[in-house]
Amino acid sequence: MKTNLLFNIRLLCMFVLITVSCTTKIKNDIPHLQKQGTATQLIVDGKPFLILGGEVSNTASSSLEYMNTVWLNLNKMNFNTVLIAVAWGWVEPEEGRFDFSLVDGLLEGARSHNLKVVFLWFGSWKNGISSFVPTWVKANQEKFPRVQVKSGKSIEVLSTLSETNREYDTRAYTAFMRHIREVDSNKNTVLMIQLQNEVGVLGDSRDRSKPANEAFVKAVPRELIDYLSRHKDSLLPEIRKVWETTGFKTEGNWEEVFGTTPATDELFMAWNYAQYMDKMAATGKAEYPLPVFTNSWIVQPEDKGPGDYPSGGAEPLTLEVWKAGAPNIDINAPDIYLPNFDEWVALFNRNGNPLFVPESRGDSGGAANAFYAIGQHAAIGYSPFGIDNTARLLALRPGSEVKAPEEIENLPLPKAYETLKQLSPVILENQGKGTIAAAWLTSEKQAKEIQLGNYKLNVEVWRNRRNPEQAAKIGYGIFIAVGPDEYLISGCDIRVTFTPTTPGPQIAGLASVETGKFENGKWIPGRKLSGDDILLRYDLGAAADVNQSGSGIQIRGLIHNIQRVKLYRYE
Ligand code: DGJ
């Protein structure tokens, strides 16, 4: 009897242990963000993961039939993740009746093509406008109040100042997150959630409905003032400049604290959007704590003020307000279609805001963007917009059924993704440690100097040795210091020379250069490069005068686009 009791107690202990460790395992396994040095990485199934993504057009995911024409080509384009919309109106077509069969179908399609998913919750707002809310919300303006603009008219934008709006959107979003937990927590297909899409008021600098006007003349919330005061010395310059105009006032209403310019309206809207969405994110995370990000329609050069672009979204001016007002949102991401991509990623990747680019270009410029964001700013990933159109149009071109697959794979972005896929383990290993950098070059920015390891890397766009006028229009590369005198270099249309920056002989020669590929993170060497492959100039005397050997790395197009170089030094 006593033995039996002991046996049962042991059994019970084992059961408790197993249950506890299983629960912990599921929890740890949920895709989550984790710091590595200065980088923030996305951890999936216990390992860092690089999103080589693409976003389908807005309504593509409303039809599984349509998506069936797309999945296969997404595979061919080397995407590992697809960004797809789920609209509030699609899953709660009647008030209180939820139907997630579309979500299940999308997950099934993605899984059967070995793709991960980032869902975009098109709830209260999509590009500022409330066009994806259910019809029963649209049709009941009394219950679901909207933004009013200067003229006193309302626009088709739900007001952030309405608790009802927030509660109903939150109820649907939470049901959606619960459903994802139920169907995906043991599969980890879904990696992150984009909450809403490009939020902000369009057509005016702020909401002028009665509740908004009342809030605007009330004291600026204590939490925001406290946050700004606590971080005063490290505040981003854009908001600091505005706050400085009132002598950094810490009491008063919005105009008293920030002044009487449209920037104050924008800060006010940012606070209200941040608070609305923070509460949604927190409630969603209580169901299933996936990382959550916002995406911003960034200020365009032709915009005269907030309202020309959505007023209140995360922008360089409002990033700090978003940080203060939405601690449950992990990333404020930019959508970058503007040509100065390098400047925009730098503006968003500040004060601890990790970089993810959910929308951008998918052409050769997009390939450069992906390399740069990932190599220079430790981006969690990159994603061009409208990829179903590229994939589908190519496949549907008359008579192209046989040719299309190669054409798709050979497009610049799929080629770049194929290379990034090979490099992923070594990139992820180095992100945040000061051993990786990238260059993004154009006809206007033809050269960049990068200090990495014991050398300065002089990177230029590729140009013809005999006719230097003949230069590439775009050049890009990732550089990883893999040893004291050793680099891994990958990219397109670049030339690289090296200048020692530590004491010792001042000329760097190429001890060996090999091209090759990575298979499961292991370097497989290919050709040994020398002669024409590495020769940049014959005027060796002039080269020596500037401490150069005359040789360097060249990557022309996508040929030999991963190279491993060992340097030695001489005088
Ligand atoms: C940005 C939006 O976020 C996308 O949903 C889409 O509308 C694109 N603009 C269109 O260029």
Side-chain angles (χ1 to χ4, degrees):
M1 189 64 192
K2 209 172 157 198
T3 340
N4 251 352
L5 187 70
L6 262 176
F7 178 76
N8 283 340
I9 290 174
R10 264 200 221 125
L11 211 65
L12 186 72
C13 288
M14 261 169 70
F15 175 75
V16 170
L17 260 175
I18 289 169
T19 315
V20 168
S21 74
C22 281
T23 321
T24 325
K25 190 164 175 285
I26 288 174
K27 267 213 166 119
N28 286 343
D29 276 346
I30 296 174
H32 60 279
L33 300 178
Q34 186 174 291
K35 290 288 275 180
Q36 172 172 284
T38 55
T40 300
Q41 298 186 313
L42 175 67
I43 308 296
V44 181
D45 297 327
K47 288 193 302 258
F49 185 89
L50 195 57
I51 295 184
L52 303 175
E55 181 169 329
V56 292
S57 48
N58 298 162
T59 53
S61 48
S62 65
S63 160
L64 294 178
E65 201 187 343
Y66 172 79
M67 284 306 290
N68 282 339
T69 67
V70 173
W71 295 119
L72 197 60
N73 287 323
L74 300 187
N75 276 157
K76 291 189 184 125
M77 291 170 85
N78 295 319
F79 297 108
N80 62 20
T81 305
V82 58
L83 278 69
I84 24 183
V86 171
W88 179 7
W90 301 343
V91 297
E92 195 184 358
E94 287 162 32
E95 186 174 339
R97 183 176 71 79
F98 293 100
D99 178 357
F100 292 110
S101 49
L102 179 67
V103 173
D104 295 341
L106 293 169
L107 285 175
E108 201 184 303
R111 282 181 196 137
S112 60
H113 292 85
N114 206 18
L115 288 161
K116 298 285 187 189
V117 167
V118 170
F119 276 126
L120 321 174
W121 177 253
F122 285 6
S124 296
W125 306 286
K126 152 76 178 73
N127 294 25
I129 304 167
S130 302
S131 45
F132 283 83
V133 302
T135 313
W136 51 269
V137 172
K138 282 187 192 164
N140 192 349
Q141 213 174 315
E142 287 275 295
K143 186 167 176 184
F144 303 105
R146 295 181 178 182
V147 165
Q148 264 176 267
V149 289
K150 268 188 192 127
S151 63
K153 293 229 160 158
S154 67
I155 54 175
E156 214 182 23
V157 176
L158 291 184
S159 174
T160 53
L161 275 298
S162 156
E163 291 215 350
T164 310
N165 290 348
R166 180 171 50 74
E167 272 164 21
Y168 275 75
D169 192 355
T170 305
R171 187 180 68 171
Y173 174 65
T174 310
F176 166 63
M177 292 306 290
R178 189 178 312 127
H179 187 77
I180 296 180
R181 169 168 57 75
E182 282 162 8
V183 299
D184 198 52
S185 60
N186 58 351
K187 297 205 167 66
N188 290 347
T189 311
V190 187
L191 305 182
M192 301 204 283
I193 302 291
Q194 178 187 295
L195 190 52
Q196 317 291 356
N197 191 88
E198 296 191 341
V199 302
V201 172
L202 280 168
D204 201 343
S205 52
R206 72 170 176 87
D207 184 356
R208 292 170 203 273
S209 61
K210 192 161 170 274
N213 285 341
E214 283 167 9
F216 193 62
V217 294
K218 278 199 190 134
V220 175
R222 205 64 249 159
E223 304 102 280
L224 178 57
I225 296 284
D226 285 350
Y227 178 94
L228 296 178
S229 306
R230 250 193 345 269
H231 296 89
K232 197 168 160 198
D233 294 339
S234 59
L235 276 187
L236 294 179
E238 292 86 348
I239 187 166
R240 199 186 155 81
K241 209 167 132 205
V242 172
W243 194 22
E244 199 172 21
T245 59
T246 67
F248 301 108
K249 260 192 145 177
T250 53
E251 303 273 336
N253 68 29
W254 286 84
E255 291 198 324
E256 284 161 351
V257 171
F258 296 110
T260 50
T261 70
T264 300
D265 296 355
E266 192 177 349
L267 293 170
F268 168 74
M269 286 318 308
W271 177 258
N272 285 296
Y273 278 104
Q275 286 276 283
Y276 187 118
M277 286 164 61
D278 187 60
K279 291 187 183 118
M280 286 187 71
T283 319
K285 280 185 174 183
E287 281 297 340
Y288 192 48
L290 286 178
V292 173
F293 66 95
T294 66
N295 68 325
S296 295
W297 164 340
I298 54 177
V299 185
Q300 302 294 300
E302 66 276 17
D303 292 339
K304 294 194 180 60
D308 289 347
Y309 57 91
S311 177
E315 299 286 344
L317 171 70
T318 58
L319 268 176
E320 300 275 18
V321 177
W322 275 88
K323 257 178 113 184
N328 287 292
I329 288 174
D330 303 282
I331 305 173
N332 292 118
D335 292 343
I336 311 178
Y337 296 93
L338 290 175
N340 53 341
F341 180 87
D342 56 338
E343 292 164 24
W344 277 102
V345 283
L347 285 171
F348 271 76
N349 185 213
R350 287 185 296 173
N351 275 9
N353 185 36
L355 184 66
F356 177 61
V357 184
E359 286 185 44
S360 190
R361 298 164 55 169
D363 55 4
S364 54
N369 294 350
F371 264 66
Y372 188 69
I374 290 164
Q376 185 68 23
H377 288 279
I380 283 163
Y382 180 82
S383 159
F385 178 77
I387 51 164
D388 51 317
N389 293 333
T390 323
R392 199 165 157 273
L393 287 178
L394 275 172
L396 292 183
R397 210 149 61 196
S400 72
E401 284 90 65
V402 182
K403 265 191 289 145
E406 293 111 53
E407 285 182 32
I408 291 174
E409 282 158 37
N410 286 324
L411 291 171
L413 189 85
K415 282 301 261 185
Y417 271 12
E418 200 270 323
T419 305
L420 286 171
K421 191 166 148 196
Q422 287 185 51
L423 293 170
S424 283
V426 62
I427 288 175
L428 290 163
E429 153 104 49
N430 282 278
Q431 278 183 334
K433 295 182 177 166
T435 47
I436 180 169
W440 183 94
L441 304 172
T442 62
S443 316
E444 284 79 45
K445 298 177 186 169
Q446 295 195 340
K448 183 180 181 186
E449 292 180 353
I450 297 173
Q451 174 63 47
L452 195 65
N454 295 334
Y455 297 82
K456 183 174 70 165
L457 278 58
N458 314 297
V459 190
E460 295 177 285
V461 278
W462 180 90
R463 61 185 67 248
N464 187 308
R465 179 163 29 102
R466 289 191 192 83
N467 174 14
E469 291 298 299
Q470 192 199 327
K473 290 199 175 60
I474 294 177
Y476 57 88
I478 280 185
F479 313 94
I480 305 172
V482 288
D485 300 292
E486 192 171 353
Y487 293 89
L488 200 59
I489 298 183
S490 178
C492 176
D493 284 336
I494 46 168
R495 305 199 313 188
V496 189
T497 61
F498 303 85
T499 307
T501 51
T502 51
Q506 282 309 292
I507 301 182
L510 305 183
S512 69
V513 183
E514 58 188 20
T515 182
K517 60 182 177 187
F518 279 94
E519 274 176 17
N520 304 318
K522 197 170 168 286
W523 176 244
I524 313 286
R527 272 166 61 174
K528 297 180 197 323
L529 302 182
S530 192
D532 293 344
D533 305 328
I534 58 165
L535 187 79
L536 302 183
R537 57 199 280 189
Y538 275 117
D539 56 345
L540 298 193
D545 287 345
V546 290
N547 288 335
Q548 284 296 314
S549 69
S551 294
I553 299 299
Q554 336 188 45
I555 303 181
R556 176 63 175 141
L558 292 164
I559 298 166
H560 304 324
N561 72 345
I562 307 182
Q563 297 187 20
R564 195 169 186 126
V565 54
K566 278 195 190 140
L567 304 172
Y568 76 101
R569 289 163 68 162
Y570 66 93
E571 261 171 343

